[in-house]
Amino acid sequence: MRMTNRRFGRTELTPELQDSLRRAVRLEWITVGYLVVAVCLIALVMGSSQAMKAAWIEDMLAFVPPIAFLVAVAVVNKPPSRRRPYGNHRAIGVGHLVAGVALLVMGSYLVLDSALGLIQGEHPPIGTFHVFGQTVWQGWFMIALMLLLVPVPVVLGRLKMKVANELHDKVLYADADMLKADWRTSVGTAVGVAGVGLGLWWFDAAAAIFIGLSIVKDGFRNVSTAITDLADSRARTIDGKDPHPLLEKVEKQARSLDWVEHAGVRMRDEGHVFHTELFVVPAGGAAQTPERLRNLAEGVIELDWKLEDVVVALVDELPAEVHGGEQHDKQSEGGRQGR
C-alpha cells in the first residue's frame, strides 16, 4: 500500500521519513510555545539592561526559523504544475534566506546600538522588586531567569539536528544550530547583569555586543548558504561545507553499467530534493536505446529518496561544468579538457 498522506510535492516519503516530518513539525510548535514563554518572562524582568534587551530581541528573532519551516512545508506539499514545473521546493531556500536576513539585520542593529551606549558611557539602571515585603535587586531575577533558560534550547537544538539531517532541511538545520548555541546568549546575559551588580557598568553593554555578534554570525552564515543554494550552486551537504555524497554515488551507479564509458552529474539543491542531470558518454559500439536510459534513470532514483527528479542525457563528451568524478575533476575548475 502506498502512503500518500505525507509527501514533498510529488515525492512520497517512506514511513520513517513521515515520522521524521511529523516529529519536526511537533518540535517546531514546541519551540514556538517555549519562545512565547521566554519572551514574556524576559520582558517582565529586563528593565533597562542592554544585555537583557539583546537576549529578548534574539528570542523574538528565534520565531522566524520555526515559522519559516512550518510555512515552507505547507507550500512544498503542493505538487508541480505547468507554472511551477520544478515544484515548490524552493520555498525552503526562500525561508532560509528570510531567516538569515532577519538575523543579520537585527544582529547588526544590536551591535551598533550597544557599542554606541558603551562609547557614551551609559550606566544601565537596574532597579528593585518588592517581594513579600522584602526589597530584592532586580538583577537576581534576571540572572536566575537566564540560567533557567539554558537547557531547553540546547535539548531542542539537538533533537532538531537529527531530524534536519534526515529530511535534508536547511531551515530546520539552521534553527537547530542556533538553538544549540543559545546557551551562550543566556550565560553571557547573566554575566553582563552580574557585572553591573559588581559595579562594572560596561559589562552589560559588552554582553549585548557579544550577543549581537553571535546573531550576526548566524545571520551571515545562513544568508550565504541560502543565496548559494538559490543561485543553483552544486549540491552540498546540509552544513554547506562539502559536495554532497550523492554526486559520486550517482556517477558510480552509471559507470557500473557495461555500456557507459564516462558519466558526470549536474545536481542542484531544490530544498529537500535534488534536481539531477546525468550526462553519459556511451562506450564505443554500445546500443543506445530508450529502455537503457529509462533503466538507468530508475536505478538512480532508487539510490535515495531525494533523487526523484532525474534526467539522463547522452553526450559525446562530458560538459566542463559537471561533477565528473576523479577523472574529470579538473574540468569543474578550469574548463573542458581533451579526452
Side-chain angles (χ1 to χ4, degrees):
M1 178 179 177
R2 295 168 68 86
M3 302 186 70
T4 59
N5 60 323
R6 292 284 178 174
R7 61 171 67 225
F8 290 141
R10 284 186 180 158
T11 305
E12 294 183 16
L13 303 179
T14 63
E16 294 78 14
L17 288 172
Q18 291 182 36
D19 289 340
S20 296
L21 181 57
R22 281 190 286 266
R23 191 160 63 251
V25 171
R26 189 164 55 247
L27 285 171
E28 292 295 42
W29 280 115
I30 291 172
T31 301
V32 170
Y34 158 76
L35 289 172
V36 169
V37 174
V39 164
C40 292
L41 290 175
I42 293 174
L44 286 174
V45 301
M46 70 178 180
S48 301
S49 168
Q50 284 281 359
M52 291 295 292
K53 176 184 174 183
W56 182 76
I57 290 177
E58 184 181 45
D59 281 348
M60 290 290 289
L61 289 172
F63 279 105
V64 177
I67 291 174
F69 171 83
L70 293 169
V71 172
V73 166
V75 173
V76 165
N77 280 337
K78 297 179 180 178
S81 62
R82 283 186 177 272
R83 183 180 179 187
R84 298 184 181 276
Y86 294 102
N88 296 279
H89 294 282
R90 289 292 197 192
I92 295 297
V94 173
H96 194 188
L97 181 61
V98 169
V101 169
L103 289 168
L104 189 59
V105 171
M106 290 307 300
S108 301
Y109 165 76
L110 276 176
V111 171
L112 293 174
D113 185 55
S114 301
L116 184 62
L118 187 62
I119 293 171
Q120 293 177 344
E122 295 179 357
H123 290 56
I126 298 181
T128 57
F129 282 149
H130 296 284
V131 182
F132 302 116
Q134 300 292 324
T135 300
V136 182
W137 182 53
Q138 189 176 348
W140 292 121
F141 292 95
M142 297 178 182
I143 294 170
L145 175 60
M146 298 315 298
L147 294 180
L148 284 173
L149 293 178
V150 169
V152 177
V154 174
V155 172
L156 284 173
R158 292 188 179 278
L159 292 174
K160 289 183 186 182
M161 188 67 73
K162 181 184 177 186
V163 184
N165 280 285
E166 293 170 354
L167 296 173
H168 189 73
D169 193 299
K170 292 187 177 179
V171 175
L172 189 60
Y173 180 87
D175 188 17
D177 194 38
M178 287 185 287
L179 283 173
K180 280 176 60 180
D182 196 54
W183 66 270
R184 291 182 300 207
T185 297
S186 298
V187 173
T189 303
V191 170
V193 174
V196 175
L198 294 172
L200 303 172
W201 62 268
W202 54 269
F203 256 48
D204 186 64
I209 292 173
F210 168 78
I211 296 168
L213 289 173
S214 176
I215 298 173
V216 168
K217 178 184 175 183
D218 288 336
F220 180 81
R221 184 174 65 248
N222 285 291
V223 167
S224 176
T225 303
I227 290 176
T228 299
D229 288 340
L230 290 172
D232 290 335
S233 176
R234 178 172 61 174
R236 304 186 73 80
T237 52
I238 195 168
D239 58 9
K241 294 180 180 179
D242 302 299
H244 201 281
L246 282 176
L247 288 159
E248 292 284 358
K249 202 171 180 180
V250 169
E251 289 170 354
K252 185 177 179 180
Q253 173 76 8
R255 290 195 295 263
S256 68
L257 302 177
D258 55 8
W259 62 273
V260 175
E261 181 179 354
H262 297 307
V265 67
R266 184 165 62 184
M267 185 183 294
R268 61 183 177 181
D269 193 332
E270 291 286 338
H272 293 116
V273 300
F274 297 146
H275 173 66
T276 306
E277 296 169 299
L278 177 58
F279 297 88
V280 174
V281 179
Q288 304 169 20
T289 65
E291 184 180 4
R292 278 186 164 177
L293 297 179
R294 183 173 61 252
N295 290 339
L296 174 53
E298 290 175 352
V300 169
I301 289 172
E302 290 175 0
L303 290 175
D304 193 279
W305 69 272
K306 293 186 286 294
L307 298 172
E308 174 93 2
D309 190 6
V310 177
V311 177
V312 180
L314 291 174
V315 293
D316 294 326
E317 184 178 6
L318 292 183
E321 64 272 11
V322 306
H323 179 279
E326 291 185 5
Q327 184 170 354
H328 298 278
D329 268 348
K330 291 183 180 179
Q331 290 185 354
S332 298
E333 304 297 333
R336 182 175 301 177
Q337 296 186 0
R339 292 171 51 208

